[in-house]
Amino acid sequence: MRLDKLLTVTATATRSEAARAVRTGTVLVNGRAVKSASVQVDPERDAVVYCGTKVEYRAHHYLILNKPEGYVSATEDGREKTVLELLPQKYTTLGLFPCGRLDKSTVGLMLLTDDGELAHRLLSPRRHVTKRYLFRVKFPLNEGECAQFREGLVLEDGYETKPAGIELFSDMKSGIITLVEGKYHQIKRMMQALHNQITHLERISFGPLTLPEDLPRGAWRELTGEEEQSLLDAAKTV
Ligand code: URA
C-alpha cells in the first residue's frame, strides 16, 4: 500500500498533510525519514511514525460522537447540517456513516463507523441492542402511564411497540427510557400515544457503549480498544 494511502485510511492525515509531512522529514518508515509519499509500505509489518506518533493500521474506524441539537443523522443533506460535518477533514474520505439515527433535536451518543457489517448486525431488529435515553416530557407522568409504556403501546399508525423500560425521577416529568427497537421517532410517538410530549431527549447508551461524561456536546473521539471489542462482541452475541 502507498504510504499516503496508509496515512489517509488510518485518518492520520489528509493526502496534502501527508505530502507536507514527508517534505519536512517527519514521516519515518522503520526509523528512516522517507522522501516520497508514494513509497510502498506493508501496513502489517512496517513501523510507520507520523510526526512522532506510531501509525496503527486498522481495517475499520469506530467513533463515538456526542451529537448536538440541530444536526441530522445522515452523511449528506442538501439543506441541513449533518453529523459528519462535526469531524475534521481527514475523516471525511473514509466512508463513515451514523450507525442508527437520532432526530435532529435529539442529542447524545452516536456511533459513526465505516464497518457496514457491524452496523447491519447492531441495527438488525432480531438483535435487540439496548438503547437508553434521558428524557423530559411536558406533563407529569403517572404510574398507570408508565405501566402502559412498559407493556408496549399502539402508535398512531397502528404499530405495536415492544415492551420498553421507563424509570421516573421524582419530578415525574423526567427519567430514563430503555428501548430494544428503533422505529422512526419512536419515543416521541410513544409519548404522543400517552397524550404527552417530549421536550428533551438524550441518548446515554447504545449496546455496551455509554456516553462518556468527559465528552462535551459536539465532541467526538475514536473508541478505545476495549470499547471497540465490547461492540464487536455485542454484534456477535445479541
Ligand atoms: N426516539 C425518538 O423519538 N427520537 C430519537 O431521536 C430517538 C428515539
Side-chain angles (χ1 to χ4, degrees), residues 46-66:
D46 291 326
V48 178
V49 174
Y50 177 86
C51 299
T53 306
K54 187 167 187 317
V55 176
E56 301 287 352
Y57 179 67
R58 41 180 63 217
H60 290 297
H61 292 270
Y62 306 96
L63 271 59
I64 188 167
L65 166 75
N66 188 345

Side-chain angles (χ1 to χ4, degrees), residues 215-234:
L215 190 68
R217 203 76 83 210
W220 59 274
R221 63 162 170 75
E222 297 247 3
L223 291 190
T224 63
E226 212 172 303
E227 286 170 331
E228 187 178 319
Q229 194 53 54
S230 70
L231 205 59
L232 299 174
D233 289 347

Side-chain angles (χ1 to χ4, degrees), residues 194-214:
L194 295 172
H195 309 289
N196 211 324
Q197 196 184 314
I198 286 285
T199 57
H200 176 78
L201 197 56
E202 173 179 11
R203 185 152 71 188
I204 54 171
S205 77
F206 178 82
L209 300 181
T210 305
L211 186 64
E213 277 175 19
D214 59 356

Side-chain angles (χ1 to χ4, degrees), residues 67 116 135 156 209 231:
K67 179 190 171 300
F135 76 93
E156 83 294 346
L209 300 181
L231 205 59

Side-chain angles (χ1 to χ4, degrees), residues 101-103 106 133 179 183 185-189 201:
R101 285 172 175 267
L102 290 179
D103 297 339
T106 302
Y133 297 83
L179 291 188
K183 299 288 168 204
H185 290 334
Q186 178 154 350
I187 295 176
K188 290 180 183 157
R189 290 158 72 214
L201 197 56

